[in-house]
Amino acid sequence: MAMESLDLRVGVGGGDGLIDKSDDDWGLRDLVFDVKTRTPLRRLRAHSRPVHLVRYPRSDKLHLFSGGDDAVVRYWDVASETHINDLLGHKDYVRCGDGSPVNDDMFVTGSYDHTVRLWDVRVSGGSSVMEVNHGKPVESVIFLPSGGLVATAGGNEVKIWDVIGGGKLLYSMEGHNKTVTSICVGKIGKETGEEAQQYRILSVSLDGYMKVLDYAKFKITYSMRFPSPLLSVAFSPDCSTRVIGTSNGIIYAGKRKVKENEGSEMVSFAGLGPISEPPKRVLRPSNFRYFRRGQNEKPSEGDYLVKRPKKVKLTEHDKLLKKFRHKEALVAALNGKNPANVVAVMEELVARRKLMRCVSNLETEELGLLLWFLQKYSTMPRYAGLLMKLAKKVVEMRAEDGQTDDVLKGHIRNLKRSVEEEIRIQQSLQEIQGIISPLLRIAGRR
């Protein structure tokens, strides 16, 4: 049977791939399987440590490259089960790699020694043709579709390098909080319009976030949170399905919604095929939602919007003033303990010639609240012009109540002390002014 006619898959020993545990040295070789018969066709043995990377080039299925914990990258001839080249240069575990989309003889590998190396099997000597330093252990590396750019992931960073420009760093994304474990590239742009046929980079991390990077504009366009750490991400060949693997063994698969010719949307789930969405239930006048339909609809372009004026929320004392309940408005403002509101209500009552009538109708507790307010704020320069006159009239008008009630006596006593203290302060200020004024005049003559 010819190799070209088989559906071949590659398994990696010692990593996340397929392992034949019947041999004693399992984990130190690569296996090539026929997925139809599930039988191994080739066993490639050369690595001395567990193998974590094995890839076919994009179109050449007769060769593959592998890498493992022995820090050696090997290039294999699958038909003869022999490795053609030993590519040396990495100094730590080789954990990731990818083949060039434009040349089957070139591929890139990433290692825990913080470096990413570009290999060309046509170059003799087994040395890399380019090397870049990611700065942290490299967990994933991919070629971008053009073949001239390489994306690497390590630590909490995803970096993009210019291969054609000699390994120049173009962009560094630090959107994740923990180690980025895997990245992939796929076509997830819109079907039509300016963003049609555009590629994005997907990255997943141990922080549970999947992020979408538009590397043409160098910005993150989408972010999604998962309940557990993420270890791997991949696209289907037609970029319509995305799968994500987590640390607790769950695989999340999602497929893009596509519209059929008849206009109905089809949603496909992994392993179930396309399933049409159930028709929406027709709303009838007997349903409450019938009368609320369309309230959350966004206006289309060109629609004329009629906006309602925003309803002004009035405070309690404003509502009472509108109802001409003057005494209740004054008491409500005093209970609010906001001096600006209380003085504003008093000025409004003065304009309506109702302030002294309200004071005469206050109950004992309400009068105590007013005296407490006058004792606290009447000496403040901002309110003194109104409150000092009001305090004098209140004491004169309600003198009998102040003599019979002990609580009111205490408020009047405190009010008297505040006024006397303010008078002493003003006298001291006048004395100081009398001393300073002649000095200022003498200084002005000089």
Side-chain angles (χ1 to χ4, degrees):
M1 184 180 297
M3 292 290 293
E4 292 81 352
S5 63
L6 295 177
D7 187 4
L8 305 180
R9 295 294 184 269
V10 181
V12 182
D16 298 330
L18 307 176
I19 302 174
D20 183 3
K21 296 185 178 180
S22 60
D23 293 344
D24 295 334
D25 60 341
W26 65 276
L28 309 179
R29 67 191 182 282
D30 305 335
L31 303 177
V32 180
F33 286 90
D34 180 2
V35 295
K36 295 182 180 180
T37 61
R38 300 183 181 181
T39 57
L41 302 178
R42 297 289 187 272
R43 287 184 173 87
L44 312 178
R45 305 169 184 264
H47 287 281
S48 59
R49 301 288 296 277
V51 180
H52 291 268
L53 164 68
V54 57
R55 291 285 189 280
Y56 278 118
R58 295 297 172 98
S59 58
D60 180 12
K61 302 306 179 184
L62 298 179
H63 299 87
L64 58 84
F65 59 94
S66 62
D69 290 353
D70 56 2
V72 179
V73 179
R74 302 185 186 277
Y75 187 69
W76 299 85
D77 181 7
V78 178
S80 62
E81 299 185 16
T82 58
H83 61 278
I84 303 174
N85 288 330
D86 288 341
L87 307 176
L88 305 177
H90 286 299
K91 298 178 182 179
D92 206 338
Y93 300 157
V94 178
R95 292 297 175 92
C96 54
D98 193 23
S100 171
V102 296
N103 193 329
D104 289 339
D105 295 323
M106 300 181 66
F107 54 90
V108 66
T109 57
S111 171
Y112 277 8
D113 62 1
H114 302 187
T115 64
V116 175
R117 293 178 179 268
L118 178 67
W119 309 92
D120 189 343
V121 297
R122 297 167 296 183
V123 177
S124 60
S127 60
S128 60
V129 296
M130 191 191 73
E131 175 187 354
V132 296
N133 191 337
H134 182 82
K136 295 180 182 179
V138 182
E139 300 287 347
S140 182
V141 57
I142 57 172
F143 267 103
L144 299 185
S146 64
L149 301 178
V150 170
T152 61
N156 65 337
E157 299 176 334
V158 176
K159 296 183 178 182
I160 300 177
W161 308 84
D162 184 3
V163 176
I164 299 177
K168 179 182 177 182
L169 177 62
L170 299 180
Y171 178 71
S172 178
M173 180 193 78
E174 299 181 3
H176 291 282
N177 298 323
K178 295 184 179 180
T179 301
V180 182
T181 53
S182 180
I183 56 176
C184 70
V185 63
K187 189 182 300 182
I188 62 174
K190 298 180 181 179
E191 297 294 334
T192 58
E194 182 181 355
E195 297 184 359
Q197 309 299 321
Q198 291 188 2
Y199 288 87
R200 302 288 189 272
I201 296 176
L202 266 66
S203 63
V204 295
S205 170
L206 296 179
D207 59 6
Y209 278 94
M210 178 203 72
K211 295 185 181 291
V212 180
L213 172 64
D214 183 358
Y215 61 89
K217 299 179 181 178
F218 294 140
K219 68 176 183 178
I220 299 175
T221 59
Y222 183 74
S223 180
M224 186 175 182
R225 179 76 164 88
F226 289 84
S228 56
L230 308 181
L231 298 182
S232 58
V233 61
F235 269 120
S236 61
D238 60 355
C239 297
S240 63
T241 304
R242 176 215 67 212
V243 290
I244 296 177
T246 65
S247 61
N248 57 5
I250 298 177
I251 296 178
Y252 294 94
K255 187 168 185 177
R256 189 191 311 169
K257 291 183 179 180
V258 295
K259 292 185 179 181
E260 300 293 334
N261 294 332
E262 58 272 16
S264 62
E265 289 190 351
M266 306 292 288
V267 181
S268 175
F269 298 93
L272 298 180
I275 301 175
S276 60
E277 288 188 350
K280 293 184 178 179
R281 183 180 178 183
V282 179
L283 293 178
R284 302 185 182 280
S286 59
N287 195 318
F288 175 72
R289 291 191 294 120
Y290 175 84
F291 299 96
R292 297 184 59 86
R293 67 192 188 281
Q295 290 191 5
N296 297 326
E297 291 293 329
K298 295 182 179 180
S300 301
E301 186 177 357
D303 289 347
Y304 182 78
L305 302 181
V306 179
K307 295 184 179 180
R308 292 181 179 179
K310 292 185 178 180
K311 187 177 180 180
V312 180
K313 293 184 178 180
L314 298 178
T315 57
E316 185 65 22
H317 57 267
D318 285 330
K319 295 178 181 178
L320 294 171
L321 284 174
K322 291 184 68 175
K323 297 177 182 179
F324 299 97
R325 297 166 61 180
H326 302 123
K327 174 189 169 183
E328 289 85 349
L330 178 60
V331 174
L334 290 171
N335 288 324
K337 297 181 179 180
N338 187 335
N341 292 340
V342 177
V343 174
V345 171
M346 290 180 177
E347 290 176 347
E348 179 64 22
L349 294 177
V350 169
R352 298 184 184 188
R353 299 182 180 181
K354 299 294 183 181
L355 179 58
M356 300 314 300
R357 180 175 295 183
C358 293
V359 172
S360 63
N361 294 330
L362 291 176
E363 301 294 336
T364 303
E365 294 181 359
E366 298 169 349
L367 180 60
L369 190 61
L370 175 60
L371 290 174
W372 174 86
F373 178 81
L374 293 174
Q375 177 263 327
K376 188 172 182 180
Y377 296 104
S378 61
T379 56
M380 293 182 63
R382 182 178 179 183
Y383 309 121
L386 173 65
L387 296 184
M388 290 299 293
K389 297 177 182 179
L390 178 62
K392 180 180 178 181
K393 292 185 178 181
V394 169
V395 172
E396 294 175 351
M397 183 180 297
R398 305 297 296 266
E400 295 181 1
D401 296 326
Q403 294 175 0
T404 58
D405 190 276
D406 295 335
V407 178
L408 295 181
K409 283 183 180 180
H411 286 305
I412 294 174
R413 191 182 307 114
N414 294 335
L415 177 60
K416 182 179 179 181
R417 290 175 182 173
S418 298
V419 174
E420 290 176 351
E421 181 66 23
E422 182 66 19
I423 292 174
R424 284 196 296 269
I425 294 174
Q426 294 296 332
Q427 290 175 350
S428 300
L429 292 176
Q430 288 179 356
E431 292 175 0
I432 295 173
Q433 184 179 4
I435 296 172
I436 295 177
S437 296
L439 298 177
L440 295 176
R441 291 177 182 177
I442 295 172
R445 293 174 183 175
R446 293 181 181 179

